[in-house]
Amino acid sequence: VQLVESGGGLVQAGGSLRLSCAASGFTFDDYAIGWFRQAPGKEREGVSCIIDTYYADSVKGRFTISSDNAKNTVYLQMNSLKPEDTAIYYCAADHPDRLRTVVEWADVEETVLEVWGQGTLVTVSS
């Protein structure tokens, strides 16, 4: 069971990036995937998950989550990026009810969800 993120990078404020999370070893029938981020010196927080198309207030209207079941991949389209979006972005997978609960947390320990990707760094310059 593995998740691999890609798509991070350096972008100017107002720019866009699309993150990808490719899953292997399981299908979306059994697990749900969400996005989390950890800014320097801060706790890991939930950003979005495919269930209920949930978004944290800080990204609502700017980020869009989507999935391609045929490719077992979940995407996070990030538009109108701000310097405060700078963070390592992680995707994580767990059973849907668990993921939907945890994604609303502002302080997520890695142990609370079953599978994590390695993270991809997003840096937004002002």
Side-chain angles (χ1 to χ4, degrees):
V1 177
Q2 189 177 18
L3 298 173
V4 179
E5 301 100 335
S6 61
L10 173 64
V11 64
Q12 288 188 330
S16 299
L17 284 173
R18 188 178 80 155
L19 306 184
S20 300
C21 173
S24 60
F26 65 93
T27 69
F28 295 163
D29 290 337
D30 301 316
Y31 287 82
I33 291 182
W35 286 96
F36 298 78
R37 68 184 182 185
Q38 188 164 16
K42 295 188 177 181
E43 294 79 15
R44 192 173 301 189
E45 63 178 0
V47 174
S48 178
C49 82
I50 205 76
I51 303 167
D52 299 332
T53 323
Y54 167 84
Y55 299 100
D57 288 343
S58 58
V59 306
K60 204 172 291 183
R62 301 187 297 121
F63 290 12
T64 303
I65 192 169
S66 62
S67 67
D68 185 334
N69 289 0
K71 295 183 178 180
N72 237 25
T73 299
V74 174
Y75 304 96
L76 186 69
Q77 177 67 43
M78 307 186 296
N79 298 329
S80 302
L81 282 162
K82 304 175 181 180
E84 50 264 44
D85 294 318
T86 294
I88 299 174
Y89 283 72
Y90 300 89
C91 59
D94 208 311
H95 295 288
D97 288 347
R98 179 69 174 163
L99 185 75
R100 181 61 182 88
T101 298
V102 172
V103 76
E104 292 197 40
W105 295 359
D107 182 4
V108 180
E109 297 288 338
E110 193 168 322
T111 53
V112 302
L113 293 175
E114 191 165 334
V115 185
W116 290 89
Q118 83 286 356
T120 186
L121 177 63
V122 172
T123 303
V124 185
S125 62
S126 57

